[in-house]
Amino acid sequence: MAANIENRNSSANLELVLQLYEKVLTVQKEVEQLRAERNVVANKMKGKLEPAERQKLIVEGKNLKEGLVSVEEDLLKLTDKLQQEAQRIPNMSHPDVPVGGEDCFVLRKMVGSPRVFGFPIKDHLQLGKDLDLIDFDTAAEVSGSKFYYLKNAAVLLEMALVNWTISQLMRRGFTPLTTPEIVRSSIVEKCGFQPRGENTQVYSIEGSDQCLIGTAEIPVGGIHMDSILAETSLPLKYVALSHCFRTEAGAAGTATRGLYRVHQFTKVEMFILCRPEESESYHEELIGIEEDLFSSLGFHFKTLDMASGDLGAPAYRKFDVEAWMPGLGRFGEISSASNCTDYQSRRLGIRYRPEAVSTNPKKGKGNLPPPEFVHTLNATACAVPRMIVCLLENYQEEDGSVVIPEPLRPFMGGLEVIRPKSR
């Protein structure tokens, strides 16, 4: 566990967790001892006693009660502290996860090749301005930096991306959802995120125990909280549409310009709950779906097996997809797929009861196998702003227009090309 924490560059303090655990056990024993002594006194009070003896027991009982209240308060504080520190410990890592920082990823696949342009290309900021699709300046006045207005055909493009993606996922057996975009802080924590840590990506609502979601993974994860699912109901596959809100603390520089890194965006998220022995195969299924979607749109992209230092706390293993963005002159992350094993389900209390394998017809309910924790997986099907970056920059033409990829045209009312408005 200590090696895993170090490999993942985690801030979790294992020694402190172990110390707190020992303290909790010690104080728990103290509480139990005081309760036992209080019960002895209470039982003595039930019998016939001399007034002096009764008075002595009353004083003793009062002192025990006050002492117990104090020690129970200590136990509560220690237990809370233990919980806070222990939940910072990250998930274990898949044995094939490369050890190291973010640059130590392993290339899984390279798809396509960069388009060769016979003219000077523009980035999505210039295209958005020239085609009257994106307004960052007004949004900065209204909301602050890293916000934007989508306009005209860009609005249709967002809706087309969402509807096309959801339709593709429904064909593959995913149940569509829209989710709450405000959740309780406790749900955020149980999904493995730190809403109040330094450099948190989470917007907390002042004066409440609620947060804005950074991903639909959080409210979808909460759907089956504190429940025992029938094994026959698994896998559960959801495709969820939501807005996402992120503080993007610490993010700056030209690599984050324009739509690439923003505070609010629309995203379509895949989420699977399955039996433990199936999670690795569903992880491969999720990354396969992402590769199919992005191939259908003609993107040049690569799939990466991310290194230990680049894994979020819940992820056992994570695959990223980076697409070529010619206007920015680099690959940029457009998607990821994570297997979180039972990290989230333990915190959320999501279990399933394996079906009993028995030929004994008399076997009763008392012999049912114990429930086990499900495994959860999540993957981005469509993060709209970065998809728009890819589409505008890769499909631009010399006359300043942008061609719409064929799969999206039926979802844009047949529009094939976004052209500059005539002056």
Side-chain angles (χ1 to χ4, degrees), residues 182-392:
I182 295 176
V183 296
R184 299 186 190 279
S185 302
S186 59
I187 307 299
V188 177
E189 290 178 342
K190 287 174 181 178
C191 286
F193 302 95
Q194 300 295 329
R196 293 183 183 84
E198 284 184 30
N199 286 336
T200 180
Q201 293 295 312
V202 180
Y203 283 108
S204 292
I205 299 173
E206 193 173 353
S208 79
D209 69 338
Q210 295 171 311
C211 304
L212 301 182
I213 64 170
T215 167
E217 167 192 345
I218 296 167
V220 178
I223 290 175
H224 298 288
M225 182 172 61
D226 298 326
S227 62
I228 299 177
L229 305 169
E231 185 175 20
T232 53
S233 71
L234 299 177
L236 290 167
K237 298 181 176 183
Y238 295 109
V239 53
L241 169 66
S242 76
H243 291 108
C244 302
F245 305 88
R246 300 183 184 179
T247 65
E248 295 299 353
T254 56
T256 65
R257 287 184 309 138
L259 288 177
Y260 189 79
R261 200 175 294 281
V262 290
H263 290 308
Q264 175 185 336
F265 59 96
T266 303
K267 180 160 70 79
V268 180
E269 183 80 358
M270 297 179 280
F271 195 92
I272 295 178
L273 303 96
C274 68
R275 296 186 303 169
E277 60 268 28
E278 297 174 334
S279 65
E280 289 199 41
S281 65
Y282 282 119
H283 196 199
E284 292 293 339
E285 179 179 317
L286 287 172
I287 191 65
I289 289 170
E290 291 177 341
E291 290 169 351
D292 287 349
L293 292 173
F294 305 141
S295 295
S296 296
L297 294 175
F299 292 166
H300 168 44
F301 64 88
K302 56 185 178 180
T303 307
L304 313 174
D305 194 348
M306 302 309 290
S308 57
D310 204 35
L311 299 180
Y316 174 66
R317 191 178 194 182
K318 180 166 79 97
F319 302 142
D320 276 8
V321 179
E322 294 186 356
W324 179 247
M325 301 175 177
L328 295 179
R330 62 181 178 87
F331 284 95
E333 182 193 336
I334 59 169
S335 182
S336 68
S338 299
N339 182 0
C340 297
T341 61
D342 60 358
Y343 190 87
Q344 295 174 327
S345 61
R346 283 179 180 275
R347 290 156 171 72
L348 291 163
I350 310 173
R351 297 179 291 170
Y352 77 101
R353 192 179 297 282
E355 288 191 312
V357 180
S358 173
T359 55
N360 182 1
K362 293 182 180 177
K363 197 165 184 179
K365 263 192 174 180
N367 294 315
L368 284 173
E372 298 177 19
F373 289 104
V374 301
H375 279 194
T376 62
L377 304 98
N378 64 81
T380 308
C382 175
V384 168
R386 293 189 184 182
M387 296 291 274
I388 289 178
V389 172
C390 284
L391 290 170
L392 294 183

Side-chain angles (χ1 to χ4, degrees), residues 19-206:
Q19 290 168 16
L20 287 167
Y21 182 68
E22 290 301 323
K23 283 183 183 176
V24 166
L25 289 182
T26 302
V27 177
Q28 243 168 5
K29 287 175 184 173
E30 198 177 336
V31 167
E32 288 164 8
Q33 179 65 33
L34 287 170
R35 283 174 180 167
E37 291 176 16
R38 183 190 63 182
N39 291 340
V40 169
V41 170
N43 286 331
K44 284 182 181 177
M45 293 281 287
K46 292 174 183 176
K48 287 185 178 181
L49 298 167
E50 293 295 323
E53 183 67 20
R54 183 174 292 278
Q55 186 58 39
K56 184 182 171 186
L57 288 172
I58 288 172
V59 172
E60 189 180 347
K62 185 180 177 185
N63 290 339
L64 283 168
K65 184 180 178 182
E66 288 172 357
L68 185 59
V69 167
S70 174
V71 176
E72 282 177 335
E73 283 179 2
D74 290 344
L75 180 60
L76 193 63
K77 288 175 185 173
L78 275 171
T79 304
D80 284 348
K81 179 70 172 167
L82 173 61
Q83 178 67 26
Q84 288 299 317
E85 292 298 327
Q87 69 187 20
R88 289 171 58 198
I89 294 175
N91 200 351
M92 297 305 289
S93 304
H94 189 286
D96 292 341
V97 166
V99 174
E102 60 180 355
D103 295 330
C104 295
F105 60 80
V106 170
L107 179 67
R108 280 171 54 93
K109 185 184 286 190
M110 182 75 78
V111 176
S113 55
R115 178 184 166 191
V116 178
F117 293 89
F119 55 89
I121 58 172
K122 304 174 184 176
D123 63 15
H124 72 278
L125 289 92
Q126 191 62 51
L127 289 161
K129 186 175 182 180
D130 293 350
L131 295 169
D132 198 21
L133 300 177
I134 313 166
D135 186 345
F136 293 103
D137 295 338
T138 305
E141 294 292 327
V142 172
S143 302
S145 63
K146 292 189 169 70
F147 288 93
Y148 56 95
Y149 287 93
L150 293 184
K151 301 164 64 179
N152 301 312
V155 178
L156 301 182
L157 192 54
E158 167 162 324
M159 295 168 72
L161 282 164
V162 165
N163 288 323
W164 172 72
T165 303
I166 291 175
S167 70
Q168 292 294 309
L169 269 295
M170 287 176 67
R171 288 178 189 172
R172 297 170 186 255
F174 284 74
T175 300
L177 295 172
T178 59
T179 73
E181 293 172 356
I182 295 176
V183 296
R184 299 186 190 279
S185 302
S186 59
I187 307 299
V188 177
E189 290 178 342
K190 287 174 181 178
C191 286
F193 302 95
Q194 300 295 329
R196 293 183 183 84
E198 284 184 30
N199 286 336
T200 180
Q201 293 295 312
V202 180
Y203 283 108
S204 292
I205 299 173
E206 193 173 353

